[in-house]
Amino acid sequence: MSKTTETIFSKIIRREIPADIVYEDNLALAFKDIHPQAPIHIIVIPKKPIPTLADAESQDHALLGHLLLTAKRVAKEAGLEKGYRVVINTGDDGGQTVHHLHVHILGGRQLNWPPG
Ligand code: AMP
C-alpha cells in the first residue's frame, strides 16, 4: 500500500501547525492527541514518513524498536505507573485515519478489552 506520505503529522514535525509536543529526538516525536480517548493519550511518530506499519521494511527494524522504547519512556514520564495500552492502527480495517505510522499511548483509566 502506498498512500501519500505528506500528512498532518508531517506538518507537526515541521512546526507548521501547533501540537502539544512532549518528547522529541532525532528519530521520533511525541505529542498529545487532539481528540483524547483516555485521560492520557499521546501519539509517538517516527520523523521518517512511513505511511503504515504494513509499509515498514526490514531496514526500519531499529526505528520500530526506538518507537516502542520512546512509548515506554513517554508513558513513564506521563505517570502511567498503573499501566497503559499501546496501539498501532494499521490500514482501513485497522481504523487508521492518518497515513503516517504512529503509536497511540492510552492510559489514566481502566481500558476495556476487546476494543471495538
Ligand atoms: P489513527 O486513527 O490511528 O490514524 O489516529 C490518528 C490520531 O491522530 C487520532 O487519534 C487523532 O485524534 C489524532 N490527530 C489528528 N490530527 C491531530 C493533530 N493535529 N494533533 C494531534 N493529534 C491529531
Side-chain angles (χ1 to χ4, degrees):
M1 94 182 53
S2 186
K3 303 196 178 178
T4 176
T5 54
E6 175 62 28
T7 68
I8 197 155
F9 290 174
S10 310
K11 292 181 167 57
I12 290 174
I13 293 168
R14 297 196 301 264
R15 306 300 203 273
E16 291 173 8
I17 63 168
D20 194 342
I21 293 169
V22 298
Y23 177 80
E24 180 172 23
D25 62 28
N26 60 330
L27 295 175
L29 188 69
F31 50 90
K32 294 183 182 175
D33 197 292
I34 203 166
H35 297 301
Q37 301 301 314
I40 304 289
H41 187 173
I42 296 170
I43 300 281
V44 181
I45 64 172
K47 290 186 173 176
K48 178 181 177 181
I50 301 168
T52 84
L53 183 62
D55 296 298
E57 298 177 344
S58 56
Q59 68 199 33
D60 298 314
H61 79 274
L63 178 59
L64 296 179
H66 182 70
L67 291 177
L68 285 183
L69 289 171
T70 299
K72 171 197 138 177
R73 174 185 181 142
V74 166
K76 185 173 184 185
E77 288 175 355
L80 295 175
E81 66 278 345
K82 289 176 69 181
Y84 51 91
R85 185 168 294 165
V86 172
V87 174
I88 303 177
N89 295 327
T90 304
D92 292 339
D93 276 6
Q96 184 176 2
T97 59
V98 178
H99 291 94
H100 182 126
L101 173 63
H102 53 280
V103 177
H104 295 260
I105 303 166
L106 296 147
R109 67 170 169 84
Q110 179 65 58
L111 297 166
N112 299 318
W113 193 264

